[in-house]
Amino acid sequence: MRGKLYGVGVGPGDPDLMTLRAKDVLEKCSVIAYPVRKLGEGGVALNIIKQRVDISGKEIAELLFSMDPDDEVRKKCRAEAMAKMCQMLDEGRDIAMVTLGDVAVYSTYMYIDREIRERGYETEVIPGIPSFCHGAALARLPLMIGEESLAVVSMAKHNLAKAEKALDSSDNIVLMKAFSSIPDIAAMMRARGIPLDRATVMSNVGMADEYIGPLDPERSYGYFTTVLIKKGD
Amino acid sequence: MRGKLYGVGVGPGDPDLMTLRAKDVLEKCSVIAYPVRKLGEGGVALNIIKQRVDISGKEIAELLFSMDPDDEVRKKCRAEAMAKMCQMLDEGRDIAMVTLGDVAVYSTYMYIDREIRERGYETEVIPGIPSFCHGAALARLPLMIGEESLAVVSMAKHNLAKAEKALDSSDNIVLMKAFSSIPDIAAMMRARGIPLDRATVMSNVGMADEYIGPLDPERSYGYFTTVLIKKGD
């Protein structure tokens, strides 16, 4: 019998914030895989699951999905990763592909899922706690309440235009991967007359340099930085 | 020693989508509480946790937070619920207050958390999988990918104006509690030239009348209906 591919969201970092289903699936699968853009990148999700799942005896497969500007390099990489996965599934092995946070939030797993299903294999997606839900819990702030709306924008490519549109049209705004955009976020708020204390920064949660507090444009922040702006109070 | 209040997100309905932390906390607490707007409302979250947590011997407390239009009725209700909780905490009992989905997504727990902390008690918030992450996992759709933005709007009060603003300013849109707004959502999409097949309906997931599929304005949908519109593909 062919194996099954699971896309597993392992949550925001705290291993206890994995779901019961994620733990069951990770324990059952003989292969733990993760897609990376560069080899050696994938340590974070693995470190999370190790703390609650015994991974000894499992095959750990780092699958390279290159973001090289050259189309041919990307295609070749993708074909190799897909072939490797299909081979393991053909051998009857179940694969758990892990994603930090939730599988539907800025992860490439959904495309892999579609391609593997199109090749006739069975797959399943296990959702995980998104980092912004964890941040809101730690900051004791609702993402939305009553009739409030929420917008979520990634600042990975410093997407200030989308952030401004979101800020102008939603009550609350989550800006992910915001670490290098903090001064611009402050400027964007000032330009709209939104006091800076309406923004809460959640940075490197669970790490030595964790910071959860008001937005200070003079401070520097770690890589895993999310900002929640609540216009209304 | 005084007890501690935990706000526990139990996830979207599937008991296996509770987190390990939620299960640990629910097992540890001697009181399982849930806020209701009308007495007898709270069965859903309790039915979820019962399937993975042994609640025998625990006190089950339904706490009424009335939404009566009369200010005095609401205040009296709130004072009674708070007094009851503080009494249990003073007796050294830990309380787990359960919320469907995530605690930061349209739940009133955060206000209770603040008030209890202001009275000098210790509290903790445990995030849960929001229903829209579960829906996206079942529909095999990313909520956002690459540089896409997401907006989330509750249609509980048929808030078409906010939904339109979100649709005009974000790449992807989640409309929660949309069951009675489906024809208007279809009209809103048509007015903008967005093909209806860009909308996926996730309705009464895990129930007998579950529906996950394209938006059909002629069909009727169950109470727990979420719509995901992806403008881009």
Side-chain angles (χ1 to χ4, degrees):
Chain A
M1 216 177 76
R2 279 174 153 188
K4 182 173 168 180
L5 173 66
Y6 297 86
V8 181
V10 302
D14 180 338
D16 289 342
L17 292 180
M18 275 196 289
T19 64
L20 303 174
R21 181 93 184 112
K23 185 170 191 283
D24 287 349
V25 165
L26 289 165
E27 279 168 353
K28 196 189 79 152
C29 289
S30 68
V31 182
I32 309 285
Y34 42 87
V36 293
R37 293 176 179 199
K38 282 179 194 159
L39 287 174
E41 221 186 40
V44 181
L46 207 60
N47 281 340
I48 295 168
I49 62 176
K50 264 186 197 164
Q51 298 172 61
R52 293 295 300 243
V53 176
D54 178 10
I55 62 164
S56 59
K58 294 186 189 294
E59 180 173 345
I60 309 298
E62 196 181 49
L63 298 173
L64 180 63
F65 288 83
S66 167
M67 295 300 278
D68 195 288
D70 184 341
D71 248 25
E72 290 308 308
V73 173
R74 289 208 308 278
K75 272 189 195 160
K76 188 167 168 282
C77 241
R78 191 171 190 86
E80 278 172 10
M82 286 293 163
K84 191 170 173 185
M85 291 169 79
C86 291
Q87 191 193 325
M88 293 189 286
L89 294 169
D90 287 335
E91 289 164 5
R93 305 175 72 186
D94 292 331
I95 305 173
M97 185 176 282
V98 293
T99 288
L100 205 59
D102 178 37
V103 184
V105 176
Y106 297 124
S107 121
T108 54
Y109 174 80
M110 290 294 187
Y111 290 108
I112 297 166
D113 185 272
R114 184 189 297 179
E115 199 165 327
I116 290 288
R117 270 189 298 136
E118 281 169 358
R119 296 186 186 198
Y121 299 91
E122 201 190 342
T123 70
E124 185 179 328
V125 179
I126 322 284
I129 305 277
S131 60
F132 54 81
C133 291
H134 187 212
L138 292 173
R140 313 297 179 105
L141 290 170
L143 289 167
M144 58 279 225
I145 194 121
E147 301 307 309
E148 290 174 358
S149 57
L150 174 75
V152 185
V153 179
S154 164
M155 301 301 283
K157 295 197 177 159
H158 197 70
N159 205 336
L160 214 59
K162 282 198 182 179
E164 290 182 330
K165 271 170 86 173
L167 190 62
D168 289 335
S169 55
S170 286
D171 301 310
N172 304 326
I173 301 93
V174 165
L175 301 169
M176 297 176 70
K177 299 180 185 166
F179 76 108
S180 68
S181 304
I182 297 288
D184 293 304
I185 293 169
M188 173 177 95
M189 293 177 70
R190 283 199 196 98
R192 286 162 178 75
I194 303 169
L196 285 193
D197 64 7
R198 304 266 165 94
T200 302
V201 178
M202 298 155 307
S203 181
N204 282 10
V205 167
M207 304 179 195
D209 58 343
E210 173 178 299
Y211 174 79
I212 299 172
L215 187 149
D216 172 1
E218 306 302 320
R219 201 183 174 287
S220 70
Y221 298 89
Y223 182 73
F224 296 103
T225 292
T226 297
V227 179
L228 170 59
I229 303 171
K230 295 182 73 75
K231 278 153 70 180
D233 55 41
Chain B
M1 214 179 75
R2 278 173 152 190
K4 181 173 169 181
L5 172 65
Y6 296 86
V8 181
V10 302
D14 180 337
D16 289 341
L17 292 181
M18 276 197 290
T19 64
L20 303 174
R21 180 94 184 113
K23 185 170 192 282
D24 288 349
V25 164
L26 289 164
E27 279 168 354
K28 195 189 79 152
C29 290
S30 70
V31 182
I32 310 284
Y34 43 87
V36 294
R37 292 175 179 200
K38 284 178 193 159
L39 287 174
E41 222 186 39
V44 181
L46 208 59
N47 282 339
I48 294 168
I49 63 175
K50 264 186 196 164
Q51 297 173 61
R52 293 294 300 243
V53 177
D54 178 11
I55 62 165
S56 60
K58 294 184 189 295
E59 180 172 346
I60 310 298
E62 197 181 50
L63 299 173
L64 181 62
F65 289 83
S66 167
M67 296 299 281
D68 196 286
D70 184 342
D71 248 24
E72 290 308 309
V73 173
R74 287 208 308 278
K75 270 189 196 160
K76 188 166 168 284
C77 241
R78 188 171 191 85
E80 278 172 12
M82 286 292 164
K84 193 170 170 187
M85 290 168 77
C86 291
Q87 193 194 324
M88 293 189 286
L89 294 170
D90 286 335
E91 290 164 5
R93 304 176 71 188
D94 291 330
I95 305 174
M97 183 173 284
V98 293
T99 288
L100 205 57
D102 178 39
V103 183
V105 175
Y106 297 125
S107 122
T108 53
Y109 174 79
M110 291 292 187
Y111 291 108
I112 297 167
D113 185 273
R114 184 188 297 179
E115 200 164 328
I116 291 288
R117 269 187 300 137
E118 281 168 359
R119 295 184 188 200
Y121 300 90
E122 200 191 343
T123 70
E124 185 179 328
V125 180
I126 321 283
I129 305 278
S131 61
F132 53 81
C133 291
H134 187 211
L138 292 171
R140 312 298 180 106
L141 291 170
L143 290 167
M144 59 280 227
I145 193 123
E147 300 309 308
E148 289 174 359
S149 57
L150 175 77
V152 184
V153 179
S154 165
M155 302 301 285
K157 293 197 177 157
H158 197 68
N159 204 337
L160 214 59
K162 280 196 184 181
E164 290 182 327
K165 271 170 87 173
L167 191 61
D168 290 336
S169 56
S170 287
D171 301 309
N172 303 326
I173 303 92
V174 165
L175 302 168
M176 296 177 70
K177 298 179 186 166
F179 78 107
S180 67
S181 304
I182 296 288
D184 292 307
I185 293 169
M188 173 178 96
M189 292 177 71
R190 284 198 197 97
R192 285 161 178 76
I194 303 169
L196 285 194
D197 63 7
R198 304 266 165 93
T200 303
V201 178
M202 296 152 311
S203 181
N204 281 11
V205 167
M207 304 179 193
D209 59 343
E210 173 179 299
Y211 173 79
I212 299 172
L215 186 148
D216 172 0
E218 306 302 320
R219 201 182 175 286
S220 71
Y221 298 89
Y223 181 74
F224 295 104
T225 292
T226 298
V227 179
L228 170 60
I229 304 172
K230 294 183 74 74
K231 281 153 69 181
D233 54 43

